[in-house]
Amino acid sequence: MLLAACDGGSAVPREQKAQTHTGFPAADRPVATIVSARWSTEEARDRLNEAGQVMNLAGIKPGMTVADIGAGEGYYTIRLGQRVGKEGRVVAEDIVPDVRDALATRVVRERLDNVSVRLGLPADPRLPEASFDRVLMVHMYHEIESPYEFLWRLRPSLRPDGQVIVVDADRPTEHHGTPPELLKCEFGAVGYALVSMRRMPSAGGYIAIFRASGERPEPGMIKACKSGARATPAAVQPGQGSE
């Protein structure tokens, strides 16, 4: 599993495999195969103002601390670093050592002193607790093999008003997307509440924003969502949020 954006290109070797940990349910859905770390060229994405729109909708401002999970080649990492400024902080994470190293080299080359790059695990982003205003997962959620454990371990990293931002395509997971109803169900099972969800063609699908809600459930209390949830045109209304 490569935690990075995907475009249906050539496969990337599995440097690490997700491990099943006792107590967390398995995902009742297919997991997308690994593809390249590039969803589209940066020039094409910038022509659509993809990152700018996502950051605006996510409310990312100067001075914030943001995590870019599945950072890949760093399209969002670089732009997040510029957005949060000198008083902000960006942590870019990937689970493939070579991808992480290449991004670290790019960060140094572009002199982004407010950005750090680290290696995560397939089922654990390994982020410090109570540290992040926003956590971004762009075109990678469908590649997470153990979503309930991943989301459970991610939750403590959020600050009290922190939010998780997911950008994905509205199609089945085996076709490199996540049906919106399935996404809401899996997040809800781990104690996240939907803040908003809207179509976003410029980013290849939709954007969903979640926040932690209530107590984090014990792993044994988490119930897996049924894989029958599929992409439906009515699941996300164009240009509107949904509670």
Side-chain angles (χ1 to χ4, degrees):
M1 176 186 63
L2 170 64
L3 296 190
C6 61
D7 66 351
S10 58
V12 176
R14 287 180 184 269
E15 304 254 351
Q16 301 184 46
K17 290 185 178 181
Q19 298 179 356
T20 301
H21 294 264
T22 303
F24 290 96
D28 183 26
R29 60 168 170 82
V31 176
T33 55
I34 304 169
V35 292
S36 72
R38 178 178 298 160
W39 177 71
S40 181
T41 66
E42 295 197 4
E43 293 79 7
R45 297 171 86 172
D46 278 345
R47 282 197 296 272
L48 296 172
N49 191 30
E50 177 191 333
Q53 289 187 46
V54 168
M55 290 188 294
N56 289 342
L57 291 171
I60 295 174
K61 302 174 182 179
M64 280 187 167
T65 299
V66 181
D68 182 12
I69 306 298
E73 296 180 342
Y75 173 72
Y76 273 87
T77 299
I78 301 305
R79 289 152 184 80
L80 286 167
Q82 296 166 347
R83 173 69 68 95
V84 302
K86 294 182 179 179
E87 301 302 318
R89 187 74 180 169
V90 175
V91 174
E93 183 260 29
D94 208 284
I95 67 168
V96 180
D98 288 348
V99 172
R100 185 273 316 267
D101 293 345
L103 178 54
T105 299
R106 181 180 182 182
V107 167
V108 171
R109 183 176 66 248
E110 301 200 19
R111 299 180 179 179
L112 291 174
D113 296 333
N114 61 345
V115 175
S116 61
V117 183
R118 63 172 60 195
L119 193 67
L121 296 174
D124 185 357
R126 303 173 71 183
L127 298 176
E129 291 190 9
S131 299
F132 295 93
D133 300 294
R134 300 290 186 271
V135 174
L136 268 67
M137 295 191 286
V138 180
H139 291 289
M140 52 71 69
Y141 183 80
H142 50 268
E143 295 181 356
I144 301 176
E145 295 185 42
S146 303
Y148 303 106
E149 181 177 359
F150 186 91
L151 294 174
W152 190 87
R153 298 191 183 281
L154 171 67
R155 202 177 123 150
S157 70
L158 295 173
R159 289 176 173 167
D161 58 349
Q163 296 179 340
V164 180
I165 318 300
V166 177
V167 176
D168 214 339
D170 186 354
R171 54 178 178 252
T173 54
E174 62 267 36
H175 299 307
H176 301 281
T178 307
E181 293 303 317
L182 179 61
L183 181 77
K184 290 189 286 185
C185 182
E186 291 186 346
F187 267 78
V190 191
Y192 293 84
L194 180 68
V195 175
S196 66
M197 180 178 280
R198 60 187 292 163
R199 291 193 184 281
M200 194 172 184
S202 64
Y206 64 85
I207 179 172
I209 302 176
F210 297 89
R211 59 176 176 80
S213 178
E215 297 295 325
R216 184 172 64 156
E218 293 297 324
M221 299 299 293
I222 298 172
K223 303 298 182 183
C225 300
K226 297 298 182 182
S227 60
R230 287 291 183 262
T232 57
V236 186
Q237 297 300 320
Q240 296 180 1
S242 61
E243 293 299 323

